[in-house]
Amino acid sequence: MTDNELIQQAIEASKKAYAPYSNFHVGAAVLTSSGKVFQGCNVENSSYGLCNCAERTALFSAVAAGEREFKKLFVYVDREEFTSPCGACRQVMIELAPDMEVYLVNNKKQTKKTTSRELMPWAFSAEDLA
Ligand code: THU
């Protein structure tokens, strides 16, 4: 699975977004260590606090399918600016995929590469509960 194919998967996922309130359509595609790809889109709700971001949809969907190791996550929004993941998604990334590469993708198919650790330094984690 190439980066270009993963970008296409994230673009495809953004078209499935359920975002009638924000009209902000986000798509994500996560590549697992076993080579599978899971898509995610944002899913909104009239009770706004229940909105779920594309990144978490993709990661949760992969976990629900039995996956536990993640290599790369691509996040696409149809804009020229790169869209940066929200705090809730960063917390989920650091929990499930601390070593994952994260690629933000704009509508020119340009990418900005970062990582879960870079996005969420000094995170609250299982170690804090020990
Ligand atoms: N959203 C995402 O899905 N991912 C992001 O990285 C940023 C925000 C969604 C949440 C909400 O449905 C809409 O975009 C506007 O915040």
Side-chain angles (χ1 to χ4, degrees):
M1 182 62 59
T2 66
D3 284 2
N4 275 340
E5 286 170 324
L6 288 162
I7 289 171
Q8 276 314 122
Q9 294 259 353
I11 292 172
E12 196 182 290
S14 75
K15 294 178 184 153
K16 299 170 191 160
Y18 174 72
Y21 305 104
S22 71
N23 209 29
F24 192 77
H25 294 199
V26 188
V30 66
L31 175 68
T32 68
S33 298
S34 62
K36 291 184 191 149
V37 181
F38 291 83
Q39 293 185 352
C41 59
N42 51 329
V43 182
E44 298 189 342
N45 195 285
S46 55
S47 177
Y48 297 160
L50 301 182
C51 293
N52 201 64
C53 294
E55 298 90 321
R56 276 176 288 151
T57 305
L59 284 166
F60 292 164
S61 157
V63 170
E67 299 294 331
R68 284 292 171 88
E69 280 181 40
F70 305 98
K71 283 178 109 152
K72 297 177 174 187
L73 173 73
F74 286 74
V75 185
Y76 175 80
V77 179
D78 184 9
R79 311 180 98 195
E80 197 170 339
E81 305 79 36
F82 292 107
T83 299
S84 189
C86 80
C89 288
R90 292 174 192 217
Q91 181 69 27
V92 169
M93 287 176 203
I94 206 78
E95 173 81 26
L96 298 175
D99 297 316
M100 184 172 68
E101 294 175 353
V102 180
Y103 295 81
L104 312 180
V105 187
N106 71 4
N107 61 8
K108 293 182 164 173
K109 298 188 185 176
Q110 294 165 325
T111 57
K112 184 177 172 65
K113 182 183 173 188
T114 179
T115 62
S116 297
R117 287 192 205 283
E118 194 172 46
L119 287 168
M120 197 66 176
W122 215 47
F124 179 76
S125 73
E127 285 164 30
D128 294 294
L129 297 172

